[in-house]
């Protein structure tokens, strides 16, 4: 009988302890692979918090400060961008679309963003995924609001509810615009990005609630509703409505730019950074996000450390199990010696058993890993913004598995060496 068959029969004879050890290794491998995949994909997803946007333009501050204020709604922009500069820059050659962003208001501690319809058409997150509506639609009138998924779920809002915007960011609101309530017309699907915690209103509504006559606007909207009755003016009415939704503000917080070709990006960025009428800054969001991740690299280091701890615990658990089972098998090994097995046969037998347990544990761990990824992919995307890449194991992950199997083999050498030196008399004697 070959040593491999003997090792398999020996493991089957000790099914309970062998299965327990195998599942311990499998769970450890699953955790290790999951942590490693989440670590890599978290970094990638963080870099793709906003994707498909070539430039973010704002007042001249710092790259990271502009990114935090415009994308993550963290901090405050000290200065804004004049509307004249916005119009001039967005008319440059190569500009495909532009999204104005106006921040400064809030609702129950959540950011309110004034923007245009291009926001819903061109804003991308993750791997260039578009914004989708869980219910409702884009705003089409001045006092309509589109909610991020977390806003709707945490405040229990639904379509048709009224929302009052307050001046001031965060939990510090200086004035509630009670005379201008907004109607909820749309709720976005979860993205795992700051979009989920944002209320989106037409850009023109920002100026309206901060100073323009609401009565005049209401009358204007009524006039438009009457004009809509005339079919021959539909096209004109659509254009007029678009103007009302954007308005003519004095300034905005920042704006996003997309270009027809990447060749325009560096050229326009240089022109904006050298723009003489106003001190502006243009950043490439992907580059700045990577810089920000480097500042937050402690998170990645903690995940790496956790992965190492998981591996060590797994290996120590397997070693403990092998040593424990070896102590119970001293008589069995002595019998094998008595029927002609050489010491190196015993050594090889224990080593093969450890490799079998480790290899089978790794295979089961991979199956559990992919099962866990499939079950948690949607949840991580919607709640943590981590887009999992459910693909074949990378070369690095295969190296990790090879290292685990090698470590399992080394673990098996310890009990194998002890078994090698067990004497026949020691195994056959009865301990009292």
């Amino acid at each position: 009988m070959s040593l491999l068959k003997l090792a398999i029969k020996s493991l089957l004879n000790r099914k309970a302890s062998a299965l327990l050890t195998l599942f311990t290794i499998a769970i450890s491998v699953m955790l290790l692979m999951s942590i490693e995949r989440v670590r890599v994909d978290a970094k990638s997803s963080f870099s793709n918090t906003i994707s498909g946007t070539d430039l973010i333009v704002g007042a001249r501050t710092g790259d990271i400060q502009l990114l935090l204020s415009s994308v993550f709604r963290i901090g405050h922009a000290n200065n804004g961008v004049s509307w004249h500069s916005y119009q001039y820059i967005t008319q440059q050659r190569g500009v495909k679309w532009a999204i104005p962003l106006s921040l400064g208001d809030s609702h129950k501690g959540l950011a309110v963003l004034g923007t245009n319809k291009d926001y819903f058409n061109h804003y991308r997150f993750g791997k260039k995924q578009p914004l989708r509506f869980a219910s409702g639609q884009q705003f089409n009138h001045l006092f309509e609001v589109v909610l991020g998924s977390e806003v709707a779920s945490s405040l229990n809002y639904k379509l048709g509810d009224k929302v009052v915007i307050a001046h001031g960011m965060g939990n510090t609101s200086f004035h509630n615009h009670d005379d201008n309530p907004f109607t909820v017309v749309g709720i976005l699907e979860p993205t795992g990005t700051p979009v989920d915690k944002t209320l989106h209103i037409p850009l023109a509504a920002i100026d309206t609630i901060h100073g323009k006559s609401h009565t005049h606007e209401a009358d204007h909207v009524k006039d438009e509703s009457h004009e809509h009755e005339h079919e021959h003016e539909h096209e004109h009415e659509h254009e007029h409505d678009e103007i009302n939704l954007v308005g003519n503000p004095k300034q905005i917080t920042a704006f996003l730019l997309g270009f027809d070709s990447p060749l325009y990006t560096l050229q326009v960025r240089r022109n904006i950074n050298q723009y003489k009428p106003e001190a502006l800054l243009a950043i490439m969001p992907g580059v700045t996000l990577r810089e920000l991740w480097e500042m937050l690299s402690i998170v990645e280091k903690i995940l790496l450390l956790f992965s190492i701890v998981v591996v060590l615990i797994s290996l120590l658990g397997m070693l403990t199990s092998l040593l424990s089972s070896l102590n119970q098998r001293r008589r069995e090994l002595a019998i094998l010696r008595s029927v002609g097995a050489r010491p190196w046969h015993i050594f090889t037998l224990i080593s093969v058993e450890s490799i079998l347990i480790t290899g089978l544990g790794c295979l089961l761990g991979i199956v559990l890993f992919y099962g866990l990824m499939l079950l948690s992919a949607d949840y991580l995307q919607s709640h943590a913004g981590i887009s999992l890449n459910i693909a074949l194991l990378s070369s690095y992950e295969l190296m990790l598995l090879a290292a685990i199997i090698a470590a399992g083999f080394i673990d098996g050498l310890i009990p194998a060496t002890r078994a090698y030196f067990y004497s026949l008399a020691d195994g056959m004697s009865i301990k009292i």
Side-chain angles (χ1 to χ4, degrees), residues 77-284:
N78 295 327
N79 297 304
V81 180
S82 69
W83 187 246
H84 177 269
S85 295
Y86 166 79
Q87 290 180 312
Y88 174 78
I89 293 171
T90 55
Q91 291 169 2
Q92 299 303 301
R93 186 178 66 171
V95 175
K96 185 177 182 180
W97 51 263
I99 301 174
L101 307 175
S102 183
L103 295 160
D105 292 323
S106 65
H107 174 71
K108 297 185 178 180
L110 299 168
V112 172
L113 173 66
T115 185
N116 62 2
K117 285 189 174 184
D118 283 343
Y119 180 87
F120 305 105
N121 298 327
H122 297 293
Y123 190 93
R124 297 290 185 270
F125 67 96
K127 296 174 182 177
K128 295 189 177 180
Q129 296 171 268
L131 298 176
R132 295 185 176 89
F133 282 83
S135 59
Q137 60 184 2
Q138 304 177 15
F139 45 66
N140 289 306
H141 298 284
L142 197 61
F143 293 106
E144 294 181 343
V145 59
V146 174
L147 307 180
S149 62
E150 195 166 329
V151 178
S153 60
S154 62
L155 300 179
N156 198 27
Y157 284 150
K158 59 185 182 299
L159 298 182
D161 287 349
K162 299 295 182 180
V163 174
V164 174
I165 305 301
H167 184 63
M169 294 291 288
N171 291 315
T172 305
S173 300
F174 303 106
H175 174 67
N176 288 329
H177 303 291
D178 299 312
D179 54 336
N180 296 316
F182 287 78
T183 303
V184 177
V185 295
I187 298 173
L188 297 170
E189 289 185 356
T191 64
T193 69
V195 172
D196 297 344
K197 301 179 181 179
T198 305
L199 296 86
H200 310 84
I201 64 175
L203 185 63
I206 297 290
D207 274 349
T208 302
I209 62 178
H210 285 145
K212 288 185 179 180
S213 172
H214 174 51
T215 304
H216 174 73
E217 286 292 333
D219 292 339
H220 191 60
V221 171
K222 288 179 181 178
D223 291 339
E224 286 183 354
S225 65
H226 289 302
E227 290 173 359
H228 271 287
E229 297 175 0
H230 303 286
E231 295 182 0
H232 65 277
E233 296 182 354
H234 276 183
E235 184 177 352
H236 172 73
E237 278 307 311
H238 176 71
E239 294 175 356
H240 200 57
D241 186 54
E242 287 295 327
I243 294 173
N244 283 335
L245 292 181
V246 175
N248 190 30
K250 290 183 179 179
Q251 67 174 20
I252 55 177
T253 306
F255 59 95
L256 313 179
L257 288 177
F259 296 94
D260 292 316
S261 168
L263 297 175
Y264 292 107
T265 304
L266 294 176
Q267 177 186 346
V268 174
R269 183 190 182 209
R270 183 176 63 253
N271 293 339
I272 292 174
N273 290 336
Q274 296 174 353
Y275 187 64
K276 294 186 184 300
E278 193 173 357
L280 299 179
L281 174 67
I283 63 173
M284 302 173 70

Side-chain angles (χ1 to χ4, degrees), residues 20-87:
L20 184 61
T21 304
L22 188 145
F23 277 110
T24 300
I25 295 172
I27 292 173
S28 299
V29 169
M30 179 194 69
L31 288 174
L32 171 64
M33 304 301 288
S34 300
I35 291 170
E36 182 58 29
R37 184 65 64 92
V38 168
R39 182 184 71 83
V40 173
D41 289 346
K43 182 177 181 179
S44 174
S45 297
F46 184 84
S47 299
N48 293 324
T49 301
I50 177 173
S51 61
T53 294
D54 296 312
L55 290 179
I56 299 176
V57 183
R60 189 171 297 166
T61 51
D63 291 16
I64 293 177
Q65 183 178 350
L66 176 57
L67 180 76
L68 290 176
S69 61
S70 60
V71 175
F72 291 94
R73 328 285 193 241
I74 297 175
H76 305 276
N78 295 327
N79 297 304
V81 180
S82 69
W83 187 246
H84 177 269
S85 295
Y86 166 79
Q87 290 180 312

